[in-house]
Amino acid sequence: MMTREERPSRRERPAKPALTRDGIVRAALAIAGADGLEKVTMRRVAEQLDTGAASLYVYVRNTADLHAAMLDEILAEVDLSPATAAGPWRQRLAEVMTSYSLVLFASPALARSALVSRPSGPNYLNLIECLLTLLRAGGVPDDQAAWGVDLLMLFATGIAAEHGTRSGRADADGEHNAMVSAVRGADTARYPEIARLGDALLSGAGPDRLAWGFQAVIAGIAATPR
Amino acid sequence: MMTREERPSRRERPAKPALTRDGIVRAALAIAGADGLEKVTMRRVAEQLDTGAASLYVYVRNTADLHAAMLDEILAEVDLSPATAAGPWRQRLAEVMTSYSLVLFASPALARSALVSRPSGPNYLNLIECLLTLLRAGGVPDDQAAWGVDLLMLFATGIAAEHGTRSGRADADGEHNAMVSAVRGADTARYPEIARLGDALLSGAGPDRLAWGFQAVIAGIAATPR
DNA sequence: ACCTGAACACCGTTCAAGT
DNA sequence: ACCTGAACACCGTTCAAGT
């Protein structure tokens, strides 16, 4: 027979979990997913963890550090396997970039923060390493690859950030977007090209646009010597 | 002889200037130039104008609106004249983009805010119109031009934003940049490509990089059908 | 070493009341 | 219509004091 339950003096409610950096980051991601990144404040994260804001500073340097950690955490989901798969390098490169984009599309607010402060966590470095490996496999000269990676990341991150801005709170608020009114408005005379191209300028973040962008950027990187 | 001075009852000190949207934006730009964009708060701008924060809301919808207005204001300085000049279209396009970049380099914090919330003021629209005109002059198909403009702007804005992050307060604080330590550090085994390329990855926002990027993006846009 | 409460020095935005 | 003071509902971060 089993012995009587150990530690019977333990309270009914499970003890509040020990504070860890990972726990803080996970709590922050939960809040961001539910209420948006702007609600991820030290005080709110601390509240969720049943402690005070000051306690977080043992594990997190400041708010920017917390945001960076959140970003790196979600970058763990990016699929880097095409780097070692078979097939044409351009397509494999596009696959990795697409995976990165899909991850950021799910967290557009973090995409915006990635634009502002370039991440530098281990998962981000893994991704960059992977992109460089693929560019090298494609015979792209080193100097072009070094700057090209930036171009690729900027494009993918920017599109994800834009997507978030559009479908998020901002647009629901009926944000006065001058581009929209110029495209289908009375400003045909002032901005003829914008009016002429119309919706093509606004056609958002669909997979087509992403795929075209990757192709274009990869082609430019490979074809432009320094 | 002249008549005696009119309105002699006027006070010695010049009356405090009437509040206008333009005055608010200019005061905000002055603060941003002196102390950084993060100091551009409603309360601080109001203080500079010798009034209360609540008074600004007659002319400015909210903080985001103020930032957007600041951005559009500085975009007035972008030189669009290459659009109607003579010469190869690619070079003229690069000239306009370079002018845009130089303007943003002077206000990197606004570059970051431009990445997050795409501007849409009249000066921004003028710029987009100009870019589209040049792409059309180059015979770039409409659909490629529509998406290509975005690519160009994203690159130029991103580089300017990055430049600001590096030379600004963040770097001075000795920000722990994992990229830097991976490049010249002990992680040669973990990130061989990053280590191998080294400083080429970090070589910042020089004119060479900008020029190369414009060339590459323009080449990609022109060469990649949709 | 870790955690806490309290404090400091701020924010954006709204609103009733004035002119 | 514009302007204001005061209030509401928050912030990040620090620090002395506790365990």
Side-chain angles (χ1 to χ4, degrees):
Chain A
M1 286 285 142
M2 288 181 145
T3 61
R4 163 174 63 120
E5 193 184 346
E6 290 121 346
R7 297 191 240 74
S9 64
R10 194 172 44 166
R11 301 257 174 64
E12 293 290 327
R13 237 217 308 169
K16 125 179 144 180
L19 234 39
T20 62
R21 181 172 231 262
D22 262 29
I24 291 168
V25 172
R26 273 196 303 272
L29 281 170
I31 293 172
D35 301 326
L37 190 63
E38 73 274 17
K39 296 290 185 186
V40 179
T41 65
M42 290 301 200
R43 290 172 126 103
R44 213 121 160 337
V45 173
E47 190 188 8
Q48 178 121 108
L49 294 169
D50 203 15
T51 183
S55 304
L56 304 184
Y57 285 80
V58 178
Y59 306 97
V60 149
R61 187 193 294 268
N62 52 34
T63 310
D65 182 31
L66 175 58
H67 283 70
M70 292 168 70
L71 183 64
D72 204 69
E73 177 79 18
I74 69 167
L75 290 187
E77 291 163 34
V78 178
D79 177 20
L80 304 179
S81 67
T84 51
W89 70 276
R90 282 171 200 247
Q91 192 190 309
R92 288 186 289 145
L93 180 51
E95 279 166 17
V96 173
M97 292 307 302
T98 301
S99 172
Y100 169 77
S101 299
L102 289 177
V103 168
L104 281 197
F105 269 54
S107 305
L110 282 177
R112 289 197 287 279
S113 101
L115 279 174
V116 171
S117 71
R118 304 290 182 101
S120 59
N123 288 322
Y124 178 77
L125 291 181
N126 277 338
L127 173 56
I128 300 299
E129 179 74 19
C130 171
L131 299 179
L132 289 173
T133 304
L134 279 164
L135 286 167
R136 195 183 188 188
V140 174
D142 284 349
D143 48 6
Q144 291 164 232
W147 283 351
V149 159
D150 227 64
L151 216 44
L152 281 167
M153 293 297 290
L154 216 41
F155 172 66
T157 314
I159 295 282
E162 182 185 17
H163 173 254
T165 306
R166 274 217 227 291
S167 62
R169 161 193 50 75
D171 201 24
D173 276 344
E175 191 181 322
H176 271 337
N177 191 329
M179 192 78 147
V180 174
S181 48
V183 160
R184 33 172 168 257
D187 280 338
T188 308
R190 199 129 95 95
Y191 307 112
E193 286 300 311
I194 292 176
R196 197 174 62 81
L197 292 186
D199 287 332
L201 286 165
L202 303 168
S203 64
D208 291 350
R209 184 170 186 179
L210 219 44
W212 177 84
F214 292 145
Q215 261 193 274
V217 173
I218 294 170
I221 295 168
T224 308
R226 214 154 114 185
Chain B
M1 283 274 156
M2 292 181 142
T3 61
R4 164 173 62 122
E5 191 185 347
E6 291 122 345
R7 296 190 241 74
S9 64
R10 197 172 44 164
R11 301 257 173 65
E12 293 289 326
R13 229 209 321 166
K16 123 182 146 177
L19 234 38
T20 61
R21 184 173 229 262
D22 261 28
I24 291 168
V25 171
R26 273 196 302 273
L29 281 169
I31 293 172
D35 301 326
L37 190 64
E38 72 275 17
K39 297 289 185 187
V40 179
T41 64
M42 291 299 201
R43 290 171 125 103
R44 215 125 158 331
V45 173
E47 188 187 12
Q48 177 120 110
L49 293 170
D50 204 14
T51 183
S55 304
L56 304 185
Y57 285 81
V58 178
Y59 306 97
V60 148
R61 186 193 294 267
N62 52 34
T63 310
D65 182 33
L66 175 58
H67 283 70
M70 292 168 70
L71 183 63
D72 204 68
E73 177 78 18
I74 69 167
L75 289 187
E77 291 163 34
V78 178
D79 178 19
L80 304 180
S81 67
T84 52
W89 70 274
R90 282 170 200 248
Q91 193 190 308
R92 288 187 288 143
L93 181 51
E95 279 166 17
V96 174
M97 292 308 302
T98 300
S99 172
Y100 168 77
S101 299
L102 289 177
V103 168
L104 281 197
F105 269 54
S107 306
L110 282 177
R112 288 197 287 281
S113 99
L115 278 173
V116 171
S117 70
R118 304 289 182 98
S120 57
N123 288 322
Y124 179 77
L125 291 180
N126 277 339
L127 174 56
I128 300 299
E129 178 74 19
C130 170
L131 299 179
L132 289 173
T133 304
L134 279 164
L135 285 168
R136 195 183 189 189
V140 175
D142 284 348
D143 48 5
Q144 291 163 230
W147 283 352
V149 159
D150 226 65
L151 216 43
L152 281 166
M153 292 297 290
L154 215 40
F155 172 67
T157 313
I159 295 282
E162 182 184 19
H163 173 254
T165 307
R166 275 217 225 292
S167 61
R169 161 193 50 75
D171 202 23
D173 276 344
E175 189 182 325
H176 269 338
N177 192 328
M179 192 79 146
V180 174
S181 49
V183 159
R184 34 174 166 258
D187 280 338
T188 309
R190 198 128 97 95
Y191 307 112
E193 286 300 311
I194 293 176
R196 198 173 63 80
L197 293 186
D199 287 333
L201 287 165
L202 303 168
S203 64
D208 290 351
R209 184 171 187 179
L210 220 43
W212 177 84
F214 293 145
Q215 262 193 273
V217 174
I218 293 170
I221 293 168
T224 308
R226 214 155 116 186

